[in-house]
């Protein structure tokens, strides 16, 4: 409830934290359990219905209150043999491919890129259930943006403008590998403007969508919780609609919390990336992908890894490398606890 102790705590947290080692929720566990849709009983929910254009863009979006009772979870193996599952999987793949074609680089790989199982750190892989969940959430966010615009409802939009730096040649025929995805994401991320939360609709080039509204993850982000209240009011199940100014205040009040959360998540990813390197056999080195020459050396990414880049030492002599080239570098020193990673190119100079 707005203004209550739980609401104030959620506003202070701003967002849930998705760390490699654990998840820290924004809302108390009891509240999360009470809000989840379960097979045991039908529960109230906000639902969106829409048609998809030939370009898989939402059209004729409708918002209504429903009571839903799910029959199965997406990750239940028994569901995977059904035609409904196959249709969802095909739709999710088509949605992702469409985003790729429009230049997207966000949400194409698992985040975080590492997982922890007992004492081992491994590169994450995305299951079909996770793919379906991720793409349908983005489809819902795009549909919400269309609905709010069509009905003149004040909303929060997640926008990201194209960068002003030299454009990346996105037509380069890199192999369809994790290396290529990681390198392309790193280069585009450096050029694009930061993601913004605003009451003015706009494109999100990172996600490859013309319109993205907040509101699809109210249990994970406070601004989405605010937007859900806005949608409930629009559906006739809440109080008065919020003004654009009230929405902007919610963004400003939670800005520091979101920034702090981003820093914590980045630190977690960096720490566990180094832990992953620590557990590799010492004599095997680590596979890296060249980003660009830099001075006598070059900038490189851990193969398949996140946007974090590492500059290997090269003995002071210039080496010849090409963007996208995969090399196995020698690990000279690594310490997750002290945040140290020193690599060297073992090839003759």
């Amino acid at each position: 409830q707005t203004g209550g102790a739980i609401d104030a705590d959620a506003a202070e947290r701003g967002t849930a934290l998705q760390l490699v080692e654990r998840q820290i929720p924004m809302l108390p566990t009891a509240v999360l359990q009470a809000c989840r849709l379960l097979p045991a009983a039908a529960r109230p929910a906000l639902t969106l219905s829409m048609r998809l254009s030939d370009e898989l863009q939402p059209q004729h979006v409708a918002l209504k209150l429903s009571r839903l009772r799910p029959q199965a979870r997406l990750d239940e193996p028994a569901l995977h043999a059904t035609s409904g599952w196959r249709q969802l999987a095909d739709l999710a793949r088509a949605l992702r491919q469409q985003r790729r074609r429009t230049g997207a680089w966000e949400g194409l790989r698992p985040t975080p890129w590492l997982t922890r199982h007992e004492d081992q750190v491994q590169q994450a892989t995305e299951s079909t259930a996770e793919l379906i969940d991720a793409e349908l959430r983005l489809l819902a966010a795009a549909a919400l943006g269309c609905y709010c615009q069509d009905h003149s409802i004040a909303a929060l939009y997640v926008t990201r403008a194209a960068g002003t730096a030299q454009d990346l040649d996105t037509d380069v025929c890199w192999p369809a590998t994790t290396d290529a995805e990681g390198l392309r994401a790193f280069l585009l991320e450096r050029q694009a403007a930061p993601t913004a939360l605003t009451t003015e609709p706009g494109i999100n080039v990172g996600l490859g969508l013309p319109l993205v509204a907040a509101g699809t993850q109210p249990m994970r982000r406070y601004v989405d919780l605010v937007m859900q209240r806005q949608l409930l009011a629009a559906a006739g199940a809440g109080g008065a609609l919020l003004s654009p100014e009230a929405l902007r205040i919610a963004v400003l009040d939670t800005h520091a919390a979101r920034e702090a959360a981003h820093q914590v998540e980045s630190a977690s990813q960096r720490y566990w990336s180094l832990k992953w390197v620590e557990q590799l056999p010492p004599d095997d080195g680590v596979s890296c992908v060249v980003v660009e020459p830099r001075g006598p050396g070059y900038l490189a990414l851990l193969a398949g890894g996140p946007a974090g880049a590492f500059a290997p030492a090269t003995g002071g002599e210039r080496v010849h490398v090409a963007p996208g080239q995969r090399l196995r570098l020698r690990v000279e020193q690594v310490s997750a606890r002290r945040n140290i990673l020193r690599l060297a190119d073992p090839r003759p100079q």
Side-chain angles (χ1 to χ4, degrees):
Q1 185 177 3
T2 305
I6 293 177
D7 181 72
D9 187 55
E12 185 176 357
R13 290 173 179 261
T15 180
L17 288 177
Q18 179 72 29
L19 308 179
V20 175
E21 67 273 24
R22 60 175 173 151
Q23 296 183 26
I24 302 176
M26 180 183 72
L27 297 169
T29 303
V31 174
L32 294 176
Q33 290 295 340
C35 294
R36 286 196 170 98
L37 297 175
L38 300 171
R43 287 185 167 177
L46 275 171
T47 59
L48 286 168
S49 62
M50 72 195 82
R51 292 182 181 273
L52 294 179
S53 68
D54 292 340
E55 293 76 30
L56 300 181
Q57 296 301 313
Q59 297 178 329
H60 310 296
V61 182
L63 175 73
K64 65 177 182 178
L65 294 171
S66 303
R67 294 190 69 84
L68 297 180
R69 183 176 179 177
Q71 298 300 307
R73 290 171 52 96
L74 282 174
D75 55 3
E76 290 182 7
L79 186 65
H80 300 177
T82 65
S83 60
W85 164 268
R86 290 192 293 271
Q87 290 174 350
L88 281 175
D90 289 344
L91 174 60
R93 294 188 188 100
L95 288 166
R96 180 159 296 182
Q97 188 57 36
Q98 175 64 17
R99 292 199 301 112
R100 277 196 181 98
R101 283 195 294 267
T102 57
W105 69 88
E106 291 186 272
L108 302 181
R109 299 178 300 146
T111 303
W113 77 290
L114 296 169
T115 59
R116 185 185 178 200
H117 296 284
E118 297 179 350
D119 293 331
Q120 291 294 308
V121 185
Q122 304 171 0
Q123 291 190 10
T125 57
E126 185 180 51
S127 68
T128 304
E130 291 168 332
L131 168 68
I132 293 171
D133 181 68
E135 291 303 322
L136 292 192
R137 281 183 185 275
L138 288 176
L139 178 60
L144 277 181
C146 293
Y147 181 84
C148 291
Q149 269 206 312
D150 291 344
H151 293 81
S152 301
I153 298 170
L156 289 173
Y157 297 95
V158 187
T159 65
R160 192 165 199 183
T164 56
Q166 181 180 0
D167 291 337
L168 174 69
D169 185 0
T170 55
D171 294 328
V172 173
C173 294
W174 288 326
T177 64
T178 304
D179 290 349
E181 290 280 19
L183 176 58
R184 181 173 174 276
F186 178 79
L187 293 173
L188 287 168
E189 185 73 22
R190 289 195 305 177
Q191 295 176 9
T195 300
L197 272 168
T198 173
T199 55
E200 296 296 326
I203 191 172
N204 190 311
V205 296
L207 293 173
L209 295 171
L211 207 59
V212 180
T216 62
Q217 300 190 69
M219 293 188 289
R220 288 188 49 82
R221 300 184 300 210
Y222 188 76
V223 290
D224 286 52
L225 182 59
V226 172
M227 267 300 297
Q228 188 184 65
R229 291 168 181 157
Q230 182 78 326
L231 297 170
L232 285 169
L241 286 167
L242 297 173
S243 66
E245 181 60 25
L247 294 175
R248 284 192 287 268
I249 289 173
V251 171
L252 291 173
D253 286 348
T254 55
H255 174 77
R258 289 193 305 277
E259 288 295 306
H262 175 71
Q263 292 176 9
V264 170
E265 289 176 341
S266 296
S268 170
Q269 183 162 263
R270 168 74 175 178
Y271 175 84
W272 290 104
S273 294
L274 299 188
K275 290 294 286 185
W276 176 65
V277 176
E278 282 182 351
Q279 73 184 25
L280 298 175
D283 297 331
D284 288 358
V286 60
S287 181
C288 294
V289 181
V290 175
V291 175
E292 61 188 11
R294 181 165 292 184
Y298 49 88
L299 202 60
L301 299 176
L302 294 177
F310 308 94
T314 57
E317 298 184 16
R318 186 174 299 278
V319 293
H320 298 286
V321 292
Q325 181 178 355
R326 177 182 273 217
L327 298 173
R328 185 164 289 278
L329 303 180
R330 183 174 65 249
V331 180
E332 291 197 329
Q333 185 181 8
V334 58
S335 172
R337 183 175 60 84
R338 291 184 292 162
N339 192 22
I340 295 173
L341 177 61
R342 296 194 179 99
L343 304 175
D345 191 331
R347 299 176 302 167
Q349 304 298 310

